[in-house]
Amino acid sequence: MDVDGVVVVGLGGIGSAFVAAAASLPSLVGRPVLVDKDALDATNLNRHLVARPDDMGPKVALCRRALAFHPNVDARAEWFDEFMAARGDRHELVVVGVDDDQVRRAIQVSRPRLILNAGTSESASFQVTRHDYLTGACLACIARDDLRDRPVERELARQLGLELEAVMHYQASGEPVPAALLRAAGALSEIEVAHLGDLPLTEIQRRVCAELPLGTGREEAAVSISFLSALPGFLLLGEVIKERSYAAAERPPLNERVNHALLSVLGRPHPQLLRGWRAKRDDCDCGRGAYQRAYRRKWPEGG
């Protein structure tokens, strides 16, 4: 299996599943690159397929260990912007397993020849997408969750038990959020109310992010489905195998009809989920002639 020049960005649940599947192949040829500066801890140990129970430390080092049989793995404990500064922006095939849409857009802005992307949702669904910049949606077209509907304020409202409108009011006015309001919302303990009550929202937000382990209550505990991130990781390796095995074939979508596969692990897939064609957004740079010409100059004849 030729993995020369394949860059895997993000080695959490999805990226480690990609590595675990690659480690099961009979042999690897070439120099793949693994990029992630994040460290493994107890909160994500159950989703990291190449980690052992007592493992901690850089995720990239654990993935490098899983591929120890292949001497040419380039493991880089770097954030993507650091990797770009060190290695430039000419990368033929980038496999994206990060869970941050801002990073996804930054990867697309660097215009690799091809991007294979995967992600999961809180509703136990996952997606796998393919982006060649010219055909259909680019990754920046679909990686927009952090730009919609005030996600930071909505999450803070959820943790405080308040309506989004209340959070927006106190954010705009700068008024202290009354302790009585937080207490009546019922989401916080009395200790937490005493710590956060009667403070401006900006200070509450700072304390919530930096100090308090707030989350869903016991009755709403979110179960971490370990295999949810493993499935798209396996599928990403399958897409790399298809790309490298049939490089000369005309195959812009995932399976000759679609460029976006959306599936759920909780039930049978709806037929429409297997026919997902994502078109370009009208406001995205990928639809503009100057950007498409720049991509073609960078990757003449597809690379």
Side-chain angles (χ1 to χ4, degrees), residues 51-63:
R52 300 162 184 164
D54 294 328
D55 279 340
M56 296 293 164
K59 296 175 181 177
V60 70
L62 299 174
C63 289

Side-chain angles (χ1 to χ4, degrees), residues 160-162 170 176-190 192-199 204:
L160 298 178
L162 301 177
Y170 286 106
V177 180
L181 180 64
L182 295 177
R183 185 176 293 109
L188 305 180
S189 68
E190 191 58 40
E192 291 166 346
V193 169
H195 189 62
L196 301 177
D198 299 319
L199 294 174
I204 291 176

Side-chain angles (χ1 to χ4, degrees), residues 10-27:
L11 296 164
I14 293 174
S16 68
F18 177 94
V19 168
S24 70
L25 296 175
S27 64

Side-chain angles (χ1 to χ4, degrees), residues 3-212:
V3 290
D4 192 53
V6 174
V7 180
V8 184
V9 183
L11 296 164
I14 293 174
S16 68
F18 177 94
V19 168
S24 70
L25 296 175
S27 64
L28 300 178
V29 177
R31 188 175 183 83
V33 185
L34 308 179
V35 181
D36 196 332
K37 199 172 184 176
D38 199 14
L40 185 73
D41 59 35
T43 64
N44 47 35
L45 179 62
N46 70 318
R47 297 187 299 277
H48 208 267
L49 261 63
V50 300
R52 300 162 184 164
D54 294 328
D55 279 340
M56 296 293 164
K59 296 175 181 177
V60 70
L62 299 174
C63 289
R64 176 68 187 88
R65 183 183 67 190
L67 296 172
F69 66 93
H70 183 57
N72 294 324
V73 176
D74 185 1
R76 293 179 167 263
E78 300 168 344
W79 299 126
F80 180 72
D81 57 347
E82 297 172 331
F83 169 72
M84 291 285 293
R87 293 289 297 273
D89 66 352
R90 190 172 180 82
H91 303 289
E92 181 185 355
L93 201 167
V94 177
V95 176
V96 181
V98 297
D99 58 359
D100 186 318
D101 274 357
Q102 187 172 354
V103 178
R104 288 188 177 105
R105 292 195 300 274
I107 292 171
Q108 181 62 85
V109 166
S110 72
R111 288 196 295 275
R113 185 187 69 81
L114 180 67
I115 294 174
L116 297 171
N117 166 72
T120 62
S121 77
E122 294 180 355
S123 59
S125 65
F126 64 88
Q127 65 175 346
V128 177
T129 60
R130 183 185 189 274
H131 311 274
D132 64 8
Y133 201 71
L134 300 178
T135 307
C138 77
L139 186 54
C141 288
I142 69 170
R144 302 177 63 86
D145 281 351
D146 63 324
L147 302 177
R148 300 171 184 159
D149 194 30
R150 299 278 186 172
V152 174
E153 290 82 0
R154 185 172 292 280
E155 174 61 15
L156 183 62
R158 183 192 68 78
Q159 296 204 52
L160 298 178
L162 301 177
E163 295 294 328
L164 177 62
E165 291 74 15
V167 168
M168 298 299 295
H169 165 75
Y170 286 106
Q171 182 183 62
S173 68
E175 301 170 3
V177 180
L181 180 64
L182 295 177
R183 185 176 293 109
L188 305 180
S189 68
E190 191 58 40
I191 294 175
E192 291 166 346
V193 169
H195 189 62
L196 301 177
D198 299 319
L199 294 174
L201 189 72
T202 54
E203 177 61 18
I204 291 176
Q205 187 170 7
R206 186 191 69 79
R207 295 191 180 194
V208 167
C209 293
E211 300 174 20
L212 292 183

